[in-house]
Amino acid sequence: MGKYIFGVDLGGTTVKMGLFDPEGNVSEKWEIPTRKENNGEKILPDIADAIKAKMNEKQIADSEVIGVGIGVPGPVDGKGVIYKAPNLGWGEFSIKETFSKLLGGMNVEAGNDANVAALGEMWRGGGKGFNSLVMVTLGTGVGGGIILGGQILTGSTGAAGEIGHIHIVDGEHEKCGCGKTGCLEQYASATGVVRLAKRRLEKDDEPSVLRNEEISAKTVFDAVKEGDKVAIEIAEQFGDYLGKGLAGVASAINPEAFVIGGGVSKAGEILLDYIVKNYKKYVFHGSENVKFTLAELGNDAGIYGAAKLVLG
Ligand SMILES: [Zn+2]
């Protein structure tokens, strides 16, 4: 009977790994670099070697391993097929089959990293106790992961949950990373908050502490907490855009909760206040009381979710 699960979070520069028991307790955490040369051909063999080395070190037999879960930065469908991950140099192939072969036939499950992080937060983090939730990661970009009835919603080509690219603003002149304009990510990510702040400060000469410091999502929300009027306007604008985007998502799928994570979420409860207030303005009444919580697992959400992927 198996008693160990490996959870793997494959990122662009490092691979995070964790050794879990079926209850979700992690006993070991470690990292290896992501070697992307030659179209990323070394990445999966490196991870397989690291897992085998850990099994050796801890004297774990193959039969004691329930499986290995992996989250990857690209669209993955429900069968463990990745469609394309340009930042790793990968084209379309079955991660589930390829990785399992490298691990001597072990059970492997694969998912998109944002979706897998959502699963992790539901299992052991800010989404505990919910069965249907949306995780929103406000970091460099805006990531999304949707869990419905305990299962990841992958969509037909693994592209479900791309909340950051919901169109929010007409007439935007700057382009989003995806090539379109007016995406939620352009206003609600860490760089998005800075964009909103700079535009507000350029509008007039109203005094603000933000005029004397380097602008970041952190300095903006710190200023909000101090009662800075201009910063509060920026937070309102941020909350309006994000609230509108999430209201659209909720109106479509009616989740139990939104779990908000990523660097911007370090602002804490005050961030939720601005999101929820605006969300209620836009959402269909049937989804008005959806809960909002803060993510709790930070950078570990991916390894937790990957392990949970194995348990189903
Ligand atoms: Zn976009």
Side-chain angles (χ1 to χ4, degrees):
M1 176 66 185
K3 50 185 175 182
Y4 297 105
I5 308 158
F6 288 94
V8 180
D9 182 15
L10 170 52
T13 50
T14 54
V15 183
K16 295 191 185 71
M17 285 180 265
L19 176 59
F20 291 83
D21 69 18
E23 278 72 51
N25 302 302
V26 64
S27 57
E28 297 262 329
K29 283 198 288 186
W30 73 106
E31 287 183 12
I32 62 168
T34 306
R35 289 199 292 159
K36 290 187 283 193
E37 62 263 28
N38 296 326
N39 291 322
E41 64 176 20
K42 300 265 183 18
I43 297 173
L44 289 179
D46 282 354
I47 301 171
D49 286 347
I51 288 172
K52 285 182 223 160
K54 184 61 70 181
M55 287 170 65
N56 247 330
E57 178 198 323
K58 312 290 285 180
Q59 298 192 318
I60 297 170
D62 281 22
S63 61
E64 292 177 296
V65 179
I66 300 168
V68 180
I70 180 168
V72 300
V76 180
D77 73 9
K79 297 192 176 98
V81 172
I82 184 156
Y83 282 83
K84 213 181 186 183
N87 48 343
L88 299 177
W90 286 1
E92 182 178 332
F93 69 100
S94 170
I95 296 177
K96 192 174 155 79
E97 281 173 23
T98 307
F99 196 28
S100 175
K101 222 171 273 172
L102 289 166
L103 289 163
M106 266 182 212
N107 173 31
V108 167
E109 297 296 338
N112 164 268
D113 54 2
N115 292 340
V116 165
L119 198 58
E121 286 290 343
M122 188 180 79
W123 193 29
R124 297 283 297 201
K128 240 189 294 183
F130 299 114
N131 200 34
S132 293
L133 61 78
V134 180
M135 164 125 190
V136 183
T137 306
L138 307 173
T140 323
V142 172
I146 299 174
I147 312 288
L148 288 179
Q151 301 294 314
I152 287 174
L153 180 76
T154 61
S156 59
T157 58
E162 288 294 344
I163 289 167
H165 302 287
I166 293 175
H167 180 82
I168 292 290
V169 175
D170 290 339
E172 171 61 53
H173 59 277
E174 285 181 56
K175 265 194 179 157
C176 176
C178 74
K180 304 284 168 69
T181 59
C183 293
L184 179 59
E185 177 164 301
Q186 290 185 279
Y187 316 99
S189 62
T191 49
V193 174
V194 172
R195 173 179 287 113
L196 290 178
K198 287 193 169 150
R199 287 179 180 176
R200 172 60 192 85
L201 290 169
E202 279 164 13
K203 217 175 81 182
D204 57 31
D205 292 328
E206 186 159 352
S208 166
V209 294
L210 295 173
R211 296 192 189 279
N212 313 319
E213 48 191 32
E214 194 173 334
I215 297 167
S216 66
K218 183 179 187 313
T219 55
V220 169
F221 281 98
D222 283 349
V224 169
K225 288 171 194 165
E226 289 165 23
D228 186 275
K229 232 182 104 200
V230 172
I232 288 170
E233 274 181 48
I234 297 162
E236 281 288 356
Q237 183 74 84
F238 160 88
D240 184 77
Y241 289 154
L242 189 51
K244 189 181 286 178
L246 299 187
V249 173
S251 299
I253 65 164
N254 186 223
E256 292 172 277
F258 284 99
V259 179
I260 312 292
V264 178
S265 73
K266 289 191 181 132
E269 292 292 334
I270 193 160
L271 186 88
L272 297 187
D273 295 345
Y274 283 96
I275 301 171
V276 174
K277 180 172 70 173
N278 286 288
Y279 167 85
K280 285 185 188 284
K281 264 188 351 204
Y282 296 111
V283 78
F284 177 66
H285 57 77
S287 287
E288 211 165 290
N289 295 320
V290 169
K291 302 274 189 304
F292 281 76
T293 69
L294 291 167
E296 290 172 4
L297 300 176
N299 291 332
D300 286 345
I303 56 171
Y304 278 89
K308 179 70 172 90
L309 208 52
V310 173
L311 296 173

